[in-house]
Structure formats: structure tokens, C-alpha cells
Amino acid sequence: VKMSIKRFMIYFVIAMFAWGTTSCFPSAHNPNVVTFGTGESVSHTTKYQFLSIASDFAWSIDVEYIAPEGAADWCSLSKTEGEGNDNVIMNFGENKLSEERSLKIIVTFPNESVELLFTQYSASSLLNPSDLKGWLELPAFEADGERTYFSKHMLPSKSNRERSFSVLYDTNIYHPLWIAYPLCRGNIRGSGSRQDAWGIFDPNIPTEKQLYMKSSYYGNYDRGHMLPSASRLGSNDDNRQTFYPTNMSPQLAGLNQQKWAGIEGQVRGWGEGCDTLYVVTGAVFRTVGGNESVSYTQCRSDSSKDVAIPNYYYKALLQRRGTGANSQYQALAIWVPHKAASGKATLNDAITIDELEERTGIDFFPNLDDAIETAVESTIDNHYWGL
């Protein structure tokens, strides 16, 4: 999304940018935690991001410039010292150089220092790993292979030549941050049926960093699919993939089996009625500027691991009709608090993609042409969606 620095700073002041214990997803159990809002690596067009600090103590920040050699002062901080939980804006502007630039952030507390390496790619670098720039459903992301893992899955029913879904998974909280997937009649319907394949693992992520989900969670929480089982019935093998623990969320039964199921049905209907519907289903633990508390549960069959419980769920939708130069796009976001509710999505649940990006700090549909992205992410055509 295209957001001015001025607008960003106003939002910062009004919201106070607490991020709860200062991150949109929990960092948990460490008294001094420092994290990047967008990631330790960003694209060349990204101009700013949060540095989130969670601490009970006073702190100060120093910057050590690493590359390119001789370059300095290309990143300014909104503050260099403070106390307790806070967020610092890193403003570095677009990288117009032919090479990547990097620096080290050093946050000093009374009894320790935390060092983070930050890199901004050049124009020749890929925004997303694995050469996936043509996949319109993917948000902008970075996966470090330690805390966050990116995993992509292809459709067995299509000889693994067409994509099923991608996931960004946080192994500290045993929860997907988002699941991204295309929907159309060809990948929804087929000869498959619900497999209930509980207890399997995502083959692309170390097993010990996932949950063994033979049983459900403690409490009144379902094993809620982020990509619904009913959206992958092309074959039994297609459906089986939706039971990976990287696709599961502890979702209240009163939401999962009621309103959320209704929303999933609406989304399938939209997907079957167009060329392609690009979907991102996400979980939000803390909004940007929010101070929500995060609770945890455990899986009954893997009770040693704490699983974060989302405070909100969302769906970011990009619908395409037509092909090539005749393609037309519409976008919509659906925002749902994590509480029992019935019915389907209404206009009260709808927000623009721009607003969703402000709440989550995520850039959705960055692989869309910039002019189209700007136009569709700022408005909702209610007549088109029929809410």
C-alpha cells in the first residue's frame, strides 16, 4: 500500500503505537525483546518500519552502518532512548542504489545488549523468496528459517503443477501468521472428500517446530482450518494437506462452526464465480498501535507447547475477472473479532485493504500492478460484493 510518512506519523501519535508488549504477534517469556515490525529484510521500495521493544527497563539505541562501504546516516530513528514497552520508527526511504544496504541495530538495556541485523534489498533483489513474484495472493514477507518459516504446497490432483496454498508459520507460538491461496472452481471441487487426517505434519518445516495435533486444544477451541477443508476437494490428497498443523488455529467453536463457517462459504461462492479469487486468511494477536493481551492454550496431544490464541481473524480478498489486458480487479477485507458469532459477513465486517494494512502492518497483494493496487485497495464496491 502507498502511505505517506505524514499520515503514518499522525497515526503513530494518535495510536501511541504500544503494540501491547510491542509486537503484532507475541514474543513471549523474554524480559527484553526487540523485533522488527516488517522483518529483518525488506524490499527496496519499503521506506520505513517499526522497531518494537518489550522491556521493563530503560534502553538506548545505537546504529552501526555495515554496507555499502562508506554509506552512513541513511536510516533515521524517531527516538534513540526510552523506557519500557515502546515502538521506534525506522525511516530509511527507498533504496535507489544498485546494491543492498545493511546496518546493525544495538539496543542496550541495564544488564544486556540486543543486536539485530537489518537489510534493505536493492531493486534487483526479489521481494519474496523462491521466485514467487507472480503469485498475486502472497503478501510481502520475510522468513528467517528460525522463528518464521515459509512453506508452499502444490495440488497433487494437478500433478503438483498448480499451487494449493502458502503459509508463514511462527514456530515460537505454534501458529500460522497467514495462509495465502487462490480459489476457483477447478481447485475447489472434484472427487475428494474430507480426510480428517489429524496428526500429520507439514513436510517443509521441522517436525519438532510443529504441533502433533492428533487431538484438539484444551478449552472450547476447535482445530480451526485457515484454508478450509471444503475449499480443497479436488482429490483426497489435496484435502489431506489442509490438515497440516501449520494450517490450524485454536478457534472458539462458537465462531468456527457458526459465523466463520458462513464467511468461508461466502468466499467459496465468490471464488467459483470469477476467474480467480486470491485469498489471504490471517490471525492477529495485537494490532498496530494496540495493547491487546494474548492468551495461550495447548494441544491435548502435545501439551508441552504453548499456542497463542488470536484476538482477531481476517480475510484479504482480491478478485480477478477476465484475463490478460482485459483483467478487472476488486478487493475487500473482512475483519472478525475472535468471539462467538453467527450469520455471515456483512458490510459491518468489511474494511478496505488499506485499513487492513494499517491494522496489521502487512503489505497485501504487492505483486499486483502498482496502479491497480492503489485503486482497488482504497475502496469497497459493496454492490459488486453484495454484502
Side-chain angles (χ1 to χ4, degrees):
V1 71
K2 315 302 182 296
M3 187 192 310
S4 68
I5 291 292
K6 180 179 179 181
R7 177 183 173 196
F8 184 80
M9 289 298 294
I10 291 173
Y11 185 73
F12 178 87
V13 173
I14 293 174
M16 297 176 67
F17 287 96
W19 274 22
T21 57
T22 77
S23 177
C24 280
F25 51 87
S27 300
H29 310 318
N30 189 331
N32 297 317
V33 178
V34 183
T35 56
F36 292 120
T38 303
E40 62 183 8
S41 303
V42 300
S43 72
H44 76 286
T45 58
T46 302
K47 299 178 180 179
Y48 41 81
Q49 76 158 329
F50 296 110
L51 180 70
S52 296
I53 301 174
S55 177
D56 295 328
F57 307 104
W59 44 263
S60 62
I61 305 174
D62 293 303
V63 178
E64 178 182 318
Y65 292 94
I66 299 173
E69 186 176 355
D73 299 328
W74 51 267
C75 177
S76 63
L77 305 179
S78 60
K79 61 180 69 176
T80 57
E81 59 183 21
E83 184 173 353
N85 299 340
D86 209 340
N87 285 275
V88 177
I89 297 177
M90 298 173 58
N91 182 11
F92 36 83
E94 183 174 347
N95 184 7
K96 298 181 179 180
L97 304 176
S98 60
E99 57 185 306
E100 297 177 358
R101 53 187 185 181
S102 60
L103 55 79
K104 182 186 294 184
I105 294 287
I106 305 166
V107 184
T108 302
F109 301 95
N111 297 317
E112 68 169 333
S113 293
V114 175
E115 297 184 358
L116 298 176
L117 182 65
F118 171 72
T119 299
Q120 185 182 28
Y121 293 144
S122 67
S124 60
S125 302
L126 286 177
L127 174 64
N128 291 319
S130 306
D131 196 21
L132 306 175
K133 294 191 72 173
W135 294 19
L136 289 184
E137 69 271 18
L138 287 180
F141 72 95
E142 296 297 332
D144 58 26
E146 295 181 2
R147 172 171 181 155
T148 53
Y149 280 78
F150 175 73
S151 177
K152 62 178 180 179
H153 299 285
M154 310 302 282
L155 288 167
S157 65
K158 306 294 184 180
S159 301
N160 295 312
R161 292 193 298 266
E162 297 181 18
R163 58 193 183 271
S164 181
F165 68 95
S166 303
V167 53
L168 188 65
Y169 186 72
D170 188 330
T171 62
N172 274 26
I173 57 175
Y174 300 100
H175 200 290
L177 301 179
W178 49 255
I179 302 283
Y181 51 95
L183 274 183
C184 61
R185 178 177 291 271
N187 59 25
I188 296 175
R189 298 177 181 270
S191 61
S193 61
R194 182 182 173 100
Q195 294 300 291
D196 286 319
W198 302 112
I200 61 176
F201 293 98
D202 189 321
N204 299 330
I205 297 175
T207 299
E208 67 273 12
K209 294 181 180 289
Q210 303 178 56
L211 292 171
Y212 175 58
M213 300 199 68
K214 191 68 175 178
S215 300
S216 192
Y217 305 97
Y218 288 101
N220 193 28
Y221 297 103
D222 288 347
R223 291 169 287 188
H225 287 66
M226 303 280 277
L227 164 61
S229 165
S231 296
R232 287 293 181 264
L233 296 176
S235 72
N236 289 344
D237 287 338
D238 289 358
N239 186 263
R240 183 179 173 85
Q241 292 178 333
T242 69
F243 289 86
Y244 293 152
T246 51
N247 187 41
M248 296 298 154
S249 175
Q251 192 171 63
L252 286 169
L255 177 63
N256 181 53
Q257 299 175 32
Q258 298 294 322
K259 184 167 185 172
W260 194 250
I263 293 172
E264 290 174 338
Q266 286 175 287
V267 171
R268 275 192 296 277
W270 288 326
E272 291 189 279
C274 66
D275 289 279
T276 308
L277 180 67
Y278 302 98
V279 184
V280 185
T281 300
V284 177
F285 305 93
R286 296 188 181 97
T287 53
V288 173
N291 59 357
E292 299 93 338
S293 61
V294 178
S295 300
Y296 296 81
T297 185
Q298 297 82 33
C299 181
R300 296 176 186 272
S301 49
D302 198 353
S303 59
S304 65
K305 298 172 180 176
D306 292 339
V307 185
I309 301 171
N311 284 308
Y312 314 92
Y313 294 95
Y314 66 81
K315 287 186 180 289
L317 308 173
L318 176 69
Q319 191 177 73
R320 177 175 62 82
R321 294 179 183 271
T323 58
N326 297 320
S327 295
Q328 296 181 335
Y329 295 89
Q330 291 285 344
L332 170 72
I334 297 172
W335 180 268
V336 179
H338 191 186
K339 60 183 181 181
S342 59
K344 296 181 179 181
T346 69
L347 193 58
N348 291 332
D349 305 305
I351 60 176
T352 65
I353 299 297
D354 279 352
E355 187 172 355
L356 180 63
E357 291 178 325
E358 289 184 354
R359 295 184 186 187
T360 63
I362 298 173
D363 182 10
F364 295 97
F365 312 122
N367 295 326
L368 192 62
D369 177 85
D370 286 347
I372 298 173
E373 181 184 7
T374 299
V376 302
E377 291 190 352
S378 60
T379 59
I380 297 174
D381 186 337
N382 184 44
H383 178 73
Y384 183 90
W385 295 99
L387 292 177

